[in-house]
Amino acid sequence: MTDTTVRAALSRDRILQTAVALADREGIGGLTMRGLAAELGVEAMSLYHHVANKEALLDGLADAVAAEMQDAVAALEATGGWKHNLRQRILTAREVMLRHPWAPGVFESRTSVGPHIVRYTDALVGLMRSGGMSHDLVHHAMHALGSRAFGFTQELFDPAGSADEDASPELLTQMAAEAPNLVEMLAHIAHDDPGSTLGWCDDQSEFEFGLDLLLDGLERRAERERLA
């Protein structure tokens, strides 16, 4: 196969799907244009006919993950009210994120959104509107949900190493005089679900706790709107 034939066989979708697989295997730090080209069996310059630069590639990766979310939530059955269905959609999106642990960092770093991200978000807005929520409350809800709408949480702190290492007895002793309340809390908590972690404290139980807290509050606000 000639170089021209190989370039012709390339497509943006093929490049993105290969990049997703490479990031899954090597981590986002191991994804380079040169490495991606080698994976595809082409010269790096061939990629630039489809993605302008590394940032454009990362934009495409975020949208590819959002497309996977759309496909996953499309299989869900609307068996309950807006709150139940919204919860199921978000937890399904999280399952996609857990398949691509590098994806939250890419989502956080994007300054533009692709069409699949827009469509996924639009469906969430439509679901809340179908439940009778006003545009104003839906707007507040999307701000409150933040990254949770896509299945992960943006942590306030993201220290290096694991939570267990950061809460070591030596460190707790050093911190005790300056932050006694924080030290007491860290001495009593444990993260027992490292297999589903997407951040420092973003394990499944913490994610669902925060999500349910928000949804319960939104449900109460929606009911107040209905009775007003």
Side-chain angles (χ1 to χ4, degrees):
M1 183 180 291
T2 66
D3 289 345
T4 301
T5 304
V6 171
R7 284 197 298 272
L10 277 181
S11 67
R12 179 178 171 82
D13 183 64
R14 183 185 169 207
I15 290 170
L16 292 178
Q17 292 307 314
T18 303
V20 167
L22 186 57
D24 288 345
R25 190 175 75 237
E26 304 291 341
I28 202 66
L31 176 63
T32 65
M33 299 298 275
R34 186 181 297 275
L36 177 58
E39 194 82 0
L40 288 160
V42 300
E43 295 294 326
M45 288 304 296
S46 299
L47 302 180
Y48 296 107
H49 295 284
H50 303 277
V51 286
N53 49 42
K54 180 68 175 290
E55 285 301 303
L57 176 64
L58 294 178
D59 286 343
L61 285 182
D63 208 45
V65 172
E68 192 175 335
M69 289 178 188
Q70 279 190 281
D71 290 341
V73 301
L76 296 174
E77 295 184 10
T79 57
W82 70 265
K83 179 183 171 183
H84 170 81
N85 293 331
L86 182 61
R87 187 180 194 274
Q88 289 303 108
R89 281 174 177 261
I90 290 174
L91 291 180
T92 299
R94 180 173 175 81
E95 291 175 5
V96 174
M97 280 289 179
L98 290 169
R99 291 199 288 269
H100 311 294
W102 49 268
V106 173
F107 269 67
E108 289 174 350
S109 68
R110 296 305 87 207
T111 58
S112 62
V113 294
H116 290 292
I117 294 175
V118 171
R119 291 173 193 137
Y120 172 83
T121 306
D122 182 74
L124 297 186
V125 170
L127 183 57
M128 286 185 278
R129 286 288 292 149
S130 71
M133 296 172 65
S134 69
H135 286 113
D136 187 58
L137 183 54
V138 172
H139 177 241
H140 287 311
M142 292 305 296
H143 276 291
L145 286 167
S147 66
R148 273 192 178 84
F150 294 94
F152 70 99
T153 54
Q154 288 181 294
E155 298 292 346
L156 180 60
F157 302 109
D158 188 15
S162 72
D164 289 340
E165 290 171 350
D166 291 315
S168 66
E170 294 79 10
L171 181 58
L172 294 180
T173 300
Q174 294 172 19
M175 293 172 58
E178 294 294 331
N181 295 306
L182 181 59
V183 167
E184 185 178 10
M185 180 189 73
L186 291 174
H188 285 84
I189 64 171
H191 291 277
D192 299 320
D193 193 18
S196 67
T197 296
L198 288 173
W200 179 41
C201 288
D202 183 14
D203 66 15
Q204 191 70 21
S205 62
E206 295 293 353
F207 182 84
E208 292 191 30
F209 176 85
L211 177 60
D212 289 338
L213 199 65
L214 284 164
L215 293 179
D216 288 346
L218 287 171
E219 185 177 44
R220 289 193 295 271
R221 291 296 291 265
E223 181 64 13
R224 282 165 54 184
E225 275 195 343
R226 189 183 67 82
L227 296 174

